[in-house]
Amino acid sequence: AQKITQTQPGMFVQEKEAVTLDCTYDTSDPSYGLFWYKQPSSGEMIFLIYQGSYDQQNATEGRYSLNFQKARKSANLVISASQLGDSAMYFCAMREGLSRGNTPLVFGKGTRLSVIA
Amino acid sequence: EAGVAQSPRYKIIEKRQSVAFWCNPISGHATLYWYQQILGQGPKLLIQFQNNGVVDDSQLPKDRFSAERLKGVDSTLKIQPAKLEDSAVYLCASWAGTGGYTGELFFGEGSRLTVL
């Protein structure tokens, strides 16, 4: 079974509008972390935001916020006031077993966001 | 602070040839990962090192792929012999911690392999 599911292969958003990128995850581990990365056409992976499973509040980083709904196992990324430079692939990722120590990131298939002027 | 360095950035080879990729993580980062990213997909973990020991290589096709991190610093990923389906970007990432709260992984720019 897929650990991370991103159901939107591609999304379009008008410049200055907000957009939500969906991510659902599957784990039975109570201790896990959720990450969002941005990958522009140049190829590098840029860390955006992190949410821990025990965090009480939704994470925010500038124009990025994470809508964490633990019971529904979803961790959607919200980008406010979209800019042309936000056009990129966006990946949701999870690390399970934080209490066990060193576990790898597992990535979803990604969503390609295109911002329209 | 210097980032994760990878080379070469691009490589084109014929099938059945061999290729090697090099990664130098951020100084002091104990954990190093190699991911394979096929076009249109998310990165898939190939191997994870902590210092110079292998933590997880369960998804590494060991009949053709090998990786080492001899001195616990830089690492080499080798493919021999290459197949068409190995065409992908090979991403190296490093992480400072060894357990508990994670922090993010830092990625290199990747090495793009094309197998003809």
Side-chain angles (χ1 to χ4, degrees):
Chain A
Q2 277 193 335
K3 295 275 188 180
I4 297 287
T5 302
Q6 295 182 254
T7 57
Q8 306 153 313
M11 291 279 286
F12 289 89
V13 64
Q14 201 77 32
E15 196 178 8
K16 300 178 186 175
E17 296 290 313
V19 63
T20 298
L21 306 183
D22 295 341
C23 173
T24 58
Y25 59 91
D26 182 28
T27 182
S28 57
D29 198 312
S31 175
Y32 56 90
L34 297 157
F35 300 75
W36 278 90
Y37 279 82
K38 171 184 178 181
Q39 188 177 43
S41 56
S42 52
E44 74 269 32
M45 296 285 278
I46 302 168
F47 167 74
L48 296 178
I49 196 166
Y50 166 83
Q51 180 85 42
S53 59
Y54 294 121
D55 292 344
Q56 295 297 314
Q57 296 196 333
N58 287 346
T60 60
E61 288 285 348
R63 294 187 298 112
Y64 304 107
S65 60
L66 202 152
N67 184 1
F68 181 47
Q69 297 187 47
K70 195 170 182 177
R72 300 178 66 177
K73 294 188 175 179
S74 75
N76 299 340
L77 176 70
V78 180
I79 306 175
S80 63
S82 297
Q83 302 172 355
L84 295 177
D86 294 335
S87 295
M89 283 291 288
Y90 288 81
F91 291 97
C92 180
M94 177 174 64
R95 169 175 273 165
E96 296 176 284
L98 297 182
S99 57
R100 293 198 302 273
N102 196 0
T103 55
L105 274 184
V106 176
F107 286 83
K109 292 186 176 182
T111 295
R112 180 171 296 281
L113 178 67
S114 299
V115 181
I116 304 166
Chain B
E1 180 182 72
V4 177
Q6 288 189 247
S7 67
R9 286 294 312 278
Y10 305 93
K11 190 75 176 179
I12 301 173
I13 61 173
E14 305 259 334
K15 60 183 178 184
R16 291 186 289 272
Q17 287 186 323
S18 62
V19 64
F21 302 112
W22 174 82
C23 172
N24 191 15
I26 293 173
S27 177
H29 281 198
T31 306
L32 184 148
Y33 309 81
W34 283 101
Y35 283 86
Q36 179 193 56
Q37 187 177 18
I38 293 172
L39 185 65
Q41 299 183 18
K44 184 187 85 170
L45 180 72
L46 290 176
I47 189 167
Q48 175 183 343
F49 293 96
Q50 183 166 322
N51 297 310
N52 60 350
V54 175
V55 174
D56 183 354
D57 64 355
S58 58
Q59 297 189 81
L60 187 74
K62 297 181 186 64
D63 57 332
R64 298 183 300 106
F65 286 65
S66 64
E68 59 184 12
R69 193 185 184 198
L70 290 175
K71 296 181 180 178
V73 181
D74 55 350
S75 175
T76 303
L77 175 71
K78 296 180 181 177
I79 308 173
Q80 181 179 12
K83 292 185 174 182
L84 296 177
E85 59 261 35
D86 298 333
S87 294
V89 176
Y90 291 87
L91 293 164
C92 180
S94 71
W95 175 53
T98 55
Y101 167 67
T102 62
E104 71 270 27
L105 269 61
F106 292 87
F107 284 83
E109 292 182 306
S111 294
R112 184 180 297 275
L113 173 66
T114 301
V115 182
L116 303 177

